[in-house]
Amino acid sequence: MSTLLELLKDGRFHSGQALGESLGVSRSAIWKQLQLLEAELGLVIHKVRGRGYQLASPITLLSEAEIGQHSSSVKAWDVRIFDSIDSTNAEALRSIEQGGGSPILVLAERQTAGRGRRGRKWVSPFAENIYYSLVLRIDGGMRQLEGLSLVVGLAVMHTLREHGIPGAGLKWPNDVLVGRKKVAGILLELVGDPADVCHVVLGVGINVNMQSAEEVDQEWTSVRLESGKTVDRNQLVARLSEVLVSYLERHKRNGFSAIQEEWEQGHLWQGRAVSLIAGVNKVDGVVLGIDRQGALRLSVEGEERVYSGGELSLRLRDGS
Ligand code: ATP
């Protein structure tokens, strides 16, 4: 982390002279670094003659020590925190190639190429949200992959409900919403042979303290917008990890079928009239729920049909 940012993160005014003295550089060098912080990290820094420089709002940065204090699971993992990375999932995939032992947790203050499904973009400003990718090794068990992304969604939903968003709910297969607004997204990526040994990256993006994001092209919200409070991201990462580990253990022990009912209870679109979109094809139906593997059950023209696969998207139909 830039030492200058460490000095500014309290959100107070700091004079150019004091900053220069702390870092052993000239005032003009400080000015240049401030401009870099603004340009590269998108930070807003107030510059007031006679008072100095101040971050528009104080920030708390991610800290492995802080997270570890609240999560014994994370203490046992290989945690890698980046100021800026293309995508935490991409970095997690690279760590698998390099043969790192799992679990590996990749976190970043921002992503320059954060991704959703099918190459869509995940907007990821600096120090506001959680960009979280956990690498797990899965030994010979297709069963362990069944419904896994839904299990991650449930863990995220549960964590958000604990953090002042009682209305957080799920949208099949991989979103967490509040009403119609998206607060978190999940992206699982797999490397290796699912029938033998493979690694899975559990990618989670949660909007935490973000209050504006013009680039997001659908309705969205954040924990702060919903709860009215600034949230400590270190504590949220720790809690998410604990809840996730507990769901993953249940899933491993009893399979997805043991979690199916709980997932349906959290599903905001149960009984809703929807369109299921697969590329250029569209099917209209009513959501019945999910099956024991996490596939979507739809009533289509009075008949039950089951759909699964990563390329499917649900949309509410008008009037639903
Ligand atoms: P699907 O129903 O297929 O999941 P989706 O539009 O939700 O569709 P995802 O791949 O899950 O697609 O997520 C990527 C989309 O999420 C982007 O295209 C954008 O519309 C939206 N998005 C991007 N960044 C954010 C963010 N930080 N918060 C909320 N939504 C975002």
Side-chain angles (χ1 to χ4, degrees):
M1 175 53 51
S2 138
T3 328
L4 180 57
L5 191 54
E6 282 289 342
L7 294 171
L8 288 171
K9 70 181 187 189
D10 58 10
R12 299 198 178 150
F13 271 106
H14 297 264
S15 73
Q17 180 156 356
L19 292 171
E21 277 167 16
S22 303
L23 300 184
V25 297
S26 66
R27 282 164 61 176
S28 69
I30 292 291
W31 174 256
K32 278 190 199 135
Q33 281 192 40
L34 287 167
Q35 296 207 304
L36 269 181
L37 286 180
E38 284 185 313
E40 287 186 355
L41 305 181
L43 290 170
V44 178
I45 300 171
H46 297 150
K47 305 172 184 80
V48 179
R49 194 176 271 276
R51 296 193 74 187
Y53 308 108
Q54 178 196 42
L55 277 184
S57 45
I59 50 175
T60 307
L61 299 170
L62 294 169
S63 145
E64 183 177 352
E66 284 273 321
I67 299 168
Q69 261 180 26
H70 298 99
S71 165
S72 50
S73 306
V74 173
K75 265 194 193 152
W77 297 344
D78 174 355
V79 180
R80 304 176 185 183
I81 301 180
F82 295 83
D83 291 346
S84 179
I85 194 103
D86 50 354
S87 129
T88 55
N89 261 33
E91 176 61 24
L93 291 169
R94 288 191 289 268
S95 77
I96 297 170
E97 267 171 36
Q98 289 154 7
S102 64
I104 298 170
L105 175 61
V106 180
L107 297 167
E109 296 290 4
R110 74 159 184 165
Q111 300 183 109
T112 54
R115 53 196 204 212
R117 299 196 299 158
R118 276 159 290 161
R120 289 192 208 112
K121 186 179 154 124
W122 189 258
V123 174
S124 309
F126 184 81
E128 293 188 356
N129 299 327
I130 289 176
Y131 318 115
Y132 178 111
S133 297
L134 180 63
V135 179
L136 297 177
R137 182 188 151 114
I138 309 259
D139 282 290
M142 291 288 274
R143 192 165 163 264
Q144 284 181 59
L145 294 168
E146 260 171 25
L148 189 55
S149 76
L150 281 70
V151 172
V152 178
L154 203 49
V156 173
M157 180 196 86
H158 193 85
T159 307
L160 294 181
R161 286 187 176 178
E162 278 182 12
H163 280 79
I165 316 187
L170 301 159
K171 174 195 146 193
W172 188 90
N174 68 333
D175 290 338
V176 183
L177 308 180
V178 185
R180 282 179 173 246
K181 299 176 185 168
K182 188 145 139 178
V183 65
I186 287 134
L187 180 67
L188 260 63
E189 296 186 82
L190 197 86
V191 182
D193 179 358
D196 186 14
V197 176
C198 68
H199 284 87
V200 64
V201 176
L202 311 181
V204 176
I206 305 179
N207 296 333
V208 184
N209 293 317
M210 187 162 82
Q211 297 196 85
S212 67
E214 277 151 26
E215 312 106 283
V216 182
D217 57 4
Q218 60 172 288
E219 287 188 88
W220 66 273
T221 189
S222 67
V223 183
R224 177 158 178 192
L225 287 173
E226 293 300 318
S227 67
K229 286 184 249 160
T230 308
V231 178
D232 181 332
R233 290 178 304 143
N234 289 312
Q235 278 183 26
L236 196 57
V237 166
R239 189 62 195 143
L240 170 65
S241 302
E242 290 301 299
V243 174
L244 185 56
V245 164
S246 128
Y247 271 106
L248 291 173
E249 276 167 8
R250 265 176 68 194
H251 182 238
K252 192 170 181 179
R253 222 176 21 247
N254 305 321
F256 183 74
S257 57
I259 298 171
Q260 172 194 2
E261 202 180 310
E262 193 181 332
W263 195 93
E264 284 183 340
Q265 281 166 7
H267 193 204
L268 293 171
W269 289 11
Q270 290 288 112
R272 303 292 294 270
V274 294
S275 297
L276 182 68
I277 298 159
V280 290
N281 300 316
K282 188 172 89 136
V283 181
D284 286 344
V286 172
V287 176
L288 298 173
I290 54 170
D291 72 5
R292 294 164 70 85
Q293 282 85 40
L296 181 73
R297 293 163 44 235
L298 275 191
S299 165
V300 179
E301 290 167 356
E303 265 182 41
E304 180 171 331
R305 296 211 204 144
V306 176
Y307 298 90
S308 63
E311 300 300 304
L312 303 172
S313 292
L314 270 189
R315 296 286 176 266
L316 284 178
R317 272 188 281 151
D318 290 346
S320 169

